[in-house]
Amino acid sequence: MNFFDRFTKGWQKYRKPGYYEEFDYAWTMTIDLDRCTGCSACVTACQAENNIPIVGEKAFAKGRQMQWIRIERYWEGEYPNAKLSFIPMLCQQCDAAPCETVCPVSATYHNQDGLNTQIYNRCIGTRACAVYCPYEVRYFNYNDHHWDAPLDQQLNPDVTVREKGVMEKCTFCIQRIRTAKDEAKDDGRRRVRDGDVQPACVQTCPTEALVFGDRKDPQSKVSKKLKDPRAYRVLEELNTLPSVVYLKKVDADG
Amino acid sequence: MSNIDRRDFLKLVGAGSVGAGAGFMLAESIKHPVEYLIPYVVPPEDFSHGIATWYNSVCSMCPAGCGITVRTREGRAKKIEGNPSHPVNQGRLCALGQAGLQVLYNPDRLTAPMERTGDRGSGSFAQITWEDGLTRTAEHLASLHKNGQGNRVAFLSTGVRGHFASLLELFMEALGSDRLLHYDFAHPHTLYAANKRFFGEESLPYYDLQNTRFLLSFGADYLGRWISPVHHGLGFGHSRQGRATGRLRTVQIEPRMSISGAAADQWIPARPGTEGHLALGLAHHIVAEGGYAGDDRENWVAALRPYSVSRVADQTGVAPDTITRLADAFADTQPSLAIGGGAAGNCSNGVATLVAVNALNYLVGNLGKRGGLLFNPTPAFGSSSHPRQASYRMLSELAEDARNGQIEVLIINGANPVFNLPSAAGFEQAMAEIPFIVSLSSFLDETTAMADLILPSHTYLESWGDDSPEPGMGFAVGAISQPVVSPLYNTRASGDIILGLAQQMDLGEALPWDSMEDFLKARWREIYERGAPADKLNDFESFWRSILQAGVWGEKTQNSASTFALDPNLVDNIGVEAAVFSGDSEVYPFVLHPYLSNAFYDGRGANLPWMQELPDPLTSVVYGSWVEMNPLTAKKLGLSEGDLVRVESPHGEITAPVFVYPGIMPDVIAMPIGQGHAEFGRYAKDRGVNPISILAPLMDPDSGSLAWGGTRVKIEATGRQAKLLKIGGESRQLGREIIQTSSNREGANEHAQINSIPISVVSS
Ligand code: SF4
Ligand code: SF4
Ligand code: SF4
């Protein structure tokens, strides 16, 4: 048995990808790159919903900005044939998340819905997860952040305000998922209906490039999007099995 | 899918069942503000602890007029979302709209009335009472009014619509002044003028993006900040993927790649100011190839004779075969749609250019048709902003009058001409000649800093109002703006300030209402009364409640089918003159292309920290200004990213760092508008530069609007450096295939990589 086989066997023993299959939901987001215009409404929506601090010029210069979803842009070709494409990048909620195995205190773990979750008050700030994340979507609080009063009145009471020394990242707006589950329970429904949960970014996206839902529900909008032949996952070769699936941009040149 | 048509909309509205707000109750609690010693022992009716209440209202961050629904908890606003039943934005918002809460909770808001204590512009003010402030203002106004000199009062507001706009009109009329102006830097004057000339109607049509198959945009950044970005985004998304009629193809013509240029299937740089020539070149080819069969074909042939493909190719710098292919595609892919605006409308030939774009739509039969350009009914109620919008010419006249001592009082409401006009206009100096300036702004911006008296108004999230969006949706739409939280400070709604002044001046006959809310309800009672009896809810109160809850309203009158007959004289006069640029091209080799920034619009978003830290979509830069130039130009000048350069026009100079931008013509320099505030709070002040300040006072003579794309500049290295703050990372993919593309047009049936790993774990 070579090293690699041993490694994968060990992996399977301790980490069963898809172990949560027996649970109710598998939250998924699809991002249609042929619709996304790079307008960045999603970025501000996420900041507003999730109490993401403004880090200020100095921290930004050190690369310490906190936006949980960012728009990456890539140029191709030269003038006059230059082309610019955008891709929204957020936590990919990997099924086989490299960040989870590396955390010495299990501050980041996999929940029953297939979400990659961060326990803020367990995090000791080793930042190992950020190093292991191939998508670079984990953000570390290098400082305590401050909201000039009365900007703090806007803070969402459903979301924790994080402290210095803690890692954070996109949660798929877990507070909204929880609320929807509670409401479903109150209504005596077993399941959350498709469309009941919309993360902040999805809700605001003007072009409806972002679609969110449960891929265990074959009728959900997101399940239908997953069947699109344009579907792909970023850095597929790493086998991280993301729950964020992109739909290819269409290149209709000429 | 995403798109609410008129019938669906009326169903929603009629039922009054959308939007869970309880706005009317909040209104009641606001009327009787009570201080609780022990907070919430008796909680206000409309909130319970831990449970969110939603109020529907209208976004006021730009003129698009999207519907919003604001989530509040324990009396504080937490999140703004789009109102799903508002046809303009259907639940979606842009980044600036999302940031509205930072207007409400901005730490630099003006919290009470103030009088100036130092020199004008010095920024020293002392607090006074409302009574004092209102009385002093009313006395000034009343003495002029009594002497029949009401016309010595000028009112300059930001663009407002609906009944608040009507209120301003009533007030100024009662005062005897016709100097009521609205001012928005980016108001599309040339587009209105072009529509008036071509369609005979000075209004904006509805561009049916969601049904068109080929969209040709001349400079209009419809997905950026042009007119109604969220609505355009909806149409774009819908028609890009998933609709039955196939994928929308878009072509963008502009000297510098905008957001819409990046999204386009093809971006075609054309020399600034030649977009109209290009449009007529396309028209020439279409008519010559038999694409137009109208009775007046011969007239068109004659009118378009000077615009042969080869000549136009020379003028625009676009290759002849690109022009012919584009013309063929535009004529053959039906329905198609041509739009024009932005840079194309902002040269000295702006109106003629946009008339040429309209002509293109006419020739291929895109007018009044699904997937083309639809005509709008007049706004359903209140006043629209356009008839009052001040062009550059009108503001220059106002400044001239001020210099001649004809203006005694200037009232400012939200407009910021000191920031939004070129220095060459001399508006600030002209203001110095006005004896008494009152500002109703919520922030100490550059214009308010010149005021003698500040009577600060509520933000839009604390005010009553209504809106009938323009452009409309092809059917009558209205929306109510209601306070979503109680006022934070000792401020008042602009409408209440106006009514307060009217009362003190004994203008009660013309303006008999106690408050803006009263006025609004009185007007909406009229709308209720004129409704068809069958549609009426039991009484006005339930009608009012239902529109507050829905946040939107529609009238069940059929939109009169617009027919369109072309004025025959128009054809003979079609033609575009060469654009005039200010500055000798020998001395000033580059054309300056200022553009509205995604985050700040015309500068009004610069005091919002979320917007300051929002990476610009195209460059990813935050917190500052930059100068975009082509890589070849940078190389020629020996410049690279971060080199500080002086951008000098015949009318001034500014200094900013270089950003090497692959999507711009080599002889064009682009700069974002929005930064460079001298005032406007801690987040905006003294950050970056304002390219508007160095623009030439050049106009499009037909509309009198500022030709802000018509200034030439030269670039000089300062030898200094500045670090451009932006998101790190590679600007090229380097084979990593992060963004993957599918070459098939409809994106159908590619070999799907994803199938190698099962993604769906459907079990139950
Ligand atoms: S809001 Fe939508 S269109 Fe805009 S950048 Fe985000 S994903 Fe793209
Ligand atoms: S899902 Fe929620 S947390 Fe994640 S990027 Fe979107 S808004 Fe932010
Ligand atoms: S486009 Fe944006 S800023 Fe303008 S009204 Fe809509 S949400 Fe508000």
Side-chain angles (χ1 to χ4, degrees):
Chain A
M1 206 189 262
N2 65 19
F3 169 76
F4 193 72
D5 289 341
R6 266 207 324 275
F7 178 80
T8 32
K9 236 182 138 196
W11 175 277
Q12 277 160 9
K13 189 166 158 200
Y14 295 109
R15 268 290 324 247
K16 297 189 193 117
Y19 75 95
Y20 46 85
E21 277 179 32
E22 56 221 64
F23 296 104
D24 273 353
Y25 303 97
W27 300 111
T28 304
M29 188 186 293
T30 57
I31 302 183
D32 192 335
L33 299 181
D34 204 30
R35 285 176 178 243
C36 175
T37 64
C39 77
S40 307
C42 48
V43 179
T44 306
C46 178
Q47 261 179 311
E49 171 73 14
N50 291 299
N51 300 340
I52 298 174
I54 290 296
V55 297
E57 253 171 309
K58 277 208 199 96
F60 203 105
K62 293 185 190 152
R64 294 177 176 181
Q65 69 269 27
M66 306 291 297
Q67 285 137 355
W68 290 357
I69 179 168
R70 65 171 183 265
I71 307 300
E72 291 183 1
R73 48 199 65 62
Y74 294 100
W75 286 96
E76 211 186 300
E78 299 300 338
Y79 178 87
N81 298 314
K83 283 200 158 182
L84 179 59
S85 309
F86 301 103
I87 179 167
M89 188 52 68
L90 65 163
C91 171
Q92 305 283 298
Q93 310 289 351
C94 308
D95 281 0
C99 57
E100 287 170 17
T101 48
V102 79
C103 179
V105 295
S106 299
T108 178
Y109 77 109
H110 223 68
N111 86 354
Q112 331 183 328
D113 290 5
L115 297 184
N116 170 257
T117 311
Q118 186 77 13
I119 306 174
Y120 299 129
N121 45 18
R122 192 186 279 173
C123 175
I124 55 169
T126 66
R127 290 182 279 150
C129 53
V131 176
Y132 272 62
C133 171
Y135 305 96
E136 298 194 36
V137 289
R138 296 185 143 258
Y139 300 91
F140 186 64
N141 285 282
Y142 284 91
N143 301 92
D144 274 328
H145 297 283
H146 160 84
W147 279 262
D148 292 336
L151 282 174
D152 53 344
Q153 295 200 14
Q154 177 272 330
L155 292 176
N156 185 351
D158 298 338
V159 176
T160 322
V161 173
R162 286 78 57 185
E163 294 192 324
K164 178 171 162 181
V166 168
M167 189 62 72
E168 61 183 66
K169 59 158 199 93
C170 158
T171 63
F172 261 5
C173 287
I174 193 164
Q175 66 282 7
R176 295 190 177 201
I177 297 176
R178 294 242 160 92
T179 310
K181 283 185 180 175
D182 285 352
E183 278 169 6
K185 206 167 88 201
D186 291 349
D187 284 2
R189 278 180 281 129
R190 199 176 86 82
R191 293 182 65 84
V192 170
R193 282 177 306 229
D194 190 34
D196 277 357
V197 195
Q198 288 223 305
C201 54
V202 175
Q203 184 166 12
T204 207
C205 173
T207 61
E208 294 183 88
L210 309 178
V211 171
F212 182 86
D214 175 18
R215 66 175 180 267
K216 283 197 156 187
D217 169 3
Q219 295 312 315
S220 71
K221 215 166 145 193
V222 83
S223 291
K224 288 180 185 145
K225 293 271 175 193
L226 290 174
K227 297 211 182 83
D228 192 310
R230 292 181 297 127
Y232 78 101
R233 296 197 275 205
V234 171
L235 303 179
E236 180 95 67
E237 62 276 19
L238 298 181
N239 230 351
T240 51
L241 308 181
S243 297
V244 176
V245 173
Y246 292 85
L247 306 181
K248 289 182 190 175
K249 190 176 161 101
V250 174
D251 187 2
D253 207 355
Chain B
M1 259 191 68
S2 67
N3 294 292
I4 303 182
D5 69 10
R6 184 174 166 276
R7 267 211 355 254
D8 297 341
F9 172 62
L10 289 174
K11 251 185 265 162
L12 288 168
V13 175
S17 61
V18 270
F24 64 98
M25 292 189 212
L26 180 80
E28 294 299 321
S29 60
I30 277 177
K31 252 195 280 171
H32 314 285
V34 182
E35 292 268 319
Y36 288 102
L37 193 56
I38 305 163
Y40 314 134
V41 172
V42 186
E45 260 182 288
D46 55 336
F47 79 69
S48 348
H49 281 283
I51 295 185
T53 314
W54 299 76
Y55 296 104
N56 286 323
S57 192
V58 180
C59 179
S60 303
M61 305 293 284
C62 94
C66 296
I68 57 175
T69 154
V70 184
R71 176 173 181 257
T72 67
R73 277 274 302 265
E74 285 84 38
R76 286 175 183 170
K78 297 296 172 190
K79 182 78 174 51
I80 305 184
E81 308 283 6
N83 178 352
S85 42
H86 197 297
V88 169
N89 58 317
Q90 297 165 36
R92 317 274 152 173
L93 291 178
C94 75
L96 187 57
Q98 282 286 345
L101 292 178
Q102 294 201 326
V103 172
L104 174 67
Y105 292 128
N106 197 293
D108 298 317
R109 276 186 61 181
L110 295 170
T111 56
M114 294 196 291
E115 67 177 346
R116 182 168 59 83
T117 50
D119 287 340
R120 270 207 177 145
S122 67
S124 33
F125 290 91
Q127 197 169 318
I128 54 172
T129 62
W130 272 102
E131 251 153 45
D132 189 14
L134 284 175
T135 313
R136 274 156 67 180
T137 310
E139 273 169 9
H140 261 94
L141 297 177
S143 73
L144 290 168
H145 176 56
K146 253 186 234 121
N147 300 332
Q149 291 183 319
N151 212 25
R152 293 171 101 77
V153 180
F155 198 114
L156 191 57
S157 174
T158 186
V160 289
R161 293 187 291 240
H163 287 115
F164 178 63
S166 318
L167 185 75
L168 293 184
E169 278 174 11
L170 289 173
F171 178 68
M172 291 301 277
E173 201 183 312
L175 203 61
S177 171
D178 58 9
R179 288 200 166 103
L180 169 58
L181 299 173
H182 295 184
Y183 180 57
D184 287 319
F185 176 76
H187 185 76
H189 290 280
T190 49
L191 186 55
Y192 278 93
N195 291 348
K196 170 138 177 92
R197 201 185 295 172
F198 203 88
F199 307 129
E201 262 184 64
E202 200 162 336
S203 65
L204 299 181
Y206 178 74
Y207 301 108
D208 192 6
L209 256 60
Q210 56 174 306
N211 292 311
T212 195
R213 290 183 58 222
F214 189 101
L215 179 66
L216 177 57
S217 165
F218 293 85
D221 186 10
Y222 58 98
L223 298 170
R225 294 255 55 116
W226 188 69
I227 297 186
S228 196
V230 178
H231 191 73
H232 298 151
L234 275 165
F236 176 85
H238 174 79
S239 49
R240 256 304 164 79
Q241 283 294 334
R243 69 173 182 183
T245 47
R247 181 178 179 273
L248 167 72
R249 193 173 148 66
T250 67
V251 176
Q252 185 83 7
I253 296 158
E254 58 193 3
R256 176 244 173 211
M257 187 188 282
S258 63
I259 294 180
S260 314
D265 295 298
Q266 196 180 3
W267 170 71
I268 303 177
R271 286 197 190 104
T274 66
E275 291 89 348
H277 300 85
L278 186 56
L280 293 181
L282 298 174
H284 177 103
H285 182 74
I286 290 169
V287 174
E289 294 293 304
Y292 176 66
D295 297 342
D296 54 352
R297 182 169 182 277
E298 286 317 308
N299 303 20
W300 282 98
V301 171
L304 293 171
R305 195 156 288 138
Y307 299 93
S308 68
V309 171
S310 57
R311 263 194 84 196
V312 166
D314 282 346
Q315 287 162 331
T316 59
V318 180
D321 63 323
T322 306
I323 299 178
T324 50
R325 256 188 294 146
L326 193 56
D328 291 340
F330 184 72
D332 297 344
T333 321
Q334 286 296 316
S336 62
L337 174 62
I339 59 178
N346 293 330
C347 280
S348 66
N349 57 3
V351 174
T353 298
L354 301 181
V355 167
V357 174
N358 284 341
L360 212 47
N361 280 321
Y362 170 77
L363 288 172
V364 304
N366 293 341
L367 301 183
K369 151 172 135 187
R370 196 179 145 88
L373 186 155
L374 306 169
F375 297 98
N376 265 311
T378 47
F381 56 79
S383 306
S384 58
S385 179
H386 172 68
R388 293 286 175 185
Q389 276 282 347
S391 62
Y392 183 74
R393 184 186 290 143
M394 287 153 89
L395 284 177
S396 308
E397 284 164 8
L398 182 70
E400 189 57 36
D401 290 348
R403 274 189 289 267
N404 295 335
Q406 291 177 32
I407 310 288
E408 294 276 336
V409 180
L410 174 66
I411 308 175
I412 301 277
N413 175 48
N416 190 2
V418 175
F419 179 83
N420 282 133
L421 282 173
S423 313
F427 199 83
E428 198 175 341
Q429 292 78 348
M431 276 177 80
E433 304 295 322
I434 301 176
F436 189 62
I437 302 176
V438 186
S439 172
L440 312 186
S441 299
S442 305
F443 294 97
L444 191 73
D445 56 26
E446 289 81 353
T447 308
T448 303
M450 297 284 292
D452 302 295
L453 213 56
I454 305 177
L455 304 177
S457 56
H458 290 340
T459 62
Y460 69 105
L461 294 171
E462 302 158 299
S463 309
W464 284 103
D466 57 4
D467 182 48
S468 184
E470 183 162 7
M473 299 287 104
F475 49 86
V477 185
I480 304 274
S481 219
Q482 62 177 318
V484 304
V485 291
S486 323
L488 255 65
Y489 301 113
N490 186 15
T491 55
R492 293 192 185 175
S494 314
D496 291 340
I497 299 173
I498 301 295
L499 288 169
L501 288 173
Q503 257 162 25
Q504 293 210 16
M505 294 168 58
D506 291 330
L507 298 179
E509 218 163 289
L511 296 102
W513 306 279
D514 288 338
S515 68
M516 184 64 200
E517 191 190 348
D518 273 358
F519 170 60
L520 209 60
K521 275 179 101 167
R523 286 297 155 98
W524 277 88
R525 192 179 289 276
E526 287 166 23
I527 293 173
Y528 168 76
E529 302 293 347
R530 80 168 186 238
D535 303 337
K536 268 190 199 169
L537 291 161
N538 317 344
D539 55 20
F540 171 70
E541 284 303 326
S542 35
F543 167 74
W544 179 242
R545 214 168 304 151
S546 77
I547 47 176
L548 284 188
Q549 286 185 359
V552 281
W553 163 92
E555 206 165 31
K556 296 196 178 179
T557 48
Q558 195 62 44
N559 172 14
S560 60
S562 322
T563 48
F564 172 73
L566 188 68
D567 173 2
N569 294 325
L570 197 90
V571 183
D572 306 334
N573 294 323
I574 239 153
V576 182
E577 307 261 304
V580 179
F581 290 90
S582 161
D584 179 355
S585 62
E586 295 289 313
V587 189
Y588 301 100
F590 302 102
V591 172
L592 177 65
H593 177 96
Y595 61 90
L596 299 169
S597 88
N598 186 52
F600 309 134
Y601 187 46
D602 57 5
R604 64 185 69 176
N607 63 344
L608 312 174
W610 281 334
M611 293 295 95
Q612 284 287 353
E613 207 163 292
L614 182 68
D616 174 70
L618 301 165
T619 63
S620 89
V621 180
V622 293
Y623 286 119
S625 296
W626 62 92
V627 180
E628 288 168 22
M629 64 176 71
N630 187 289
L632 300 172
T633 310
K635 203 167 160 203
K636 212 167 78 194
L637 297 176
L639 296 168
S640 49
E641 186 178 300
D643 285 341
L644 272 177
V645 291
R646 238 190 326 274
V647 181
E648 190 181 328
S649 82
H651 301 275
E653 58 171 65
I654 45 183
T655 304
V658 167
F659 183 90
V660 179
Y661 189 72
I664 186 168
M665 297 182 84
D667 45 7
V668 176
I669 296 293
M671 290 187 78
I673 290 171
Q675 299 276 28
H677 283 274
E679 298 285 348
F680 207 29
R682 70 193 75 174
Y683 305 109
K685 194 171 169 172
D686 300 331
R687 182 166 272 149
V689 292
N690 178 9
I692 300 173
S693 66
I694 64 166
L695 294 180
L698 188 74
M699 283 181 275
D700 161 85
D702 293 327
S703 64
S705 79
L706 182 69
W708 40 285
T711 305
R712 292 184 154 278
V713 293
K714 64 178 171 195
I715 299 287
E716 274 169 17
T718 61
R720 286 177 291 137
Q721 300 270 315
K723 188 172 155 62
L724 263 185
L725 288 187
K726 55 172 199 168
I727 296 190
E730 256 307 318
S731 63
R732 304 267 163 172
Q733 299 215 57
L734 309 176
R736 289 173 295 172
E737 297 195 348
I738 293 168
I739 299 184
Q740 298 186 11
T741 51
S742 141
S743 53
N744 186 306
R745 271 206 176 201
E746 307 299 338
N749 211 14
E750 287 274 298
H751 27 268
Q753 257 186 336
I754 201 93
N755 289 343
S756 57
I757 298 156
I759 188 151
S760 175
V761 286
V762 179
S763 51
S764 51

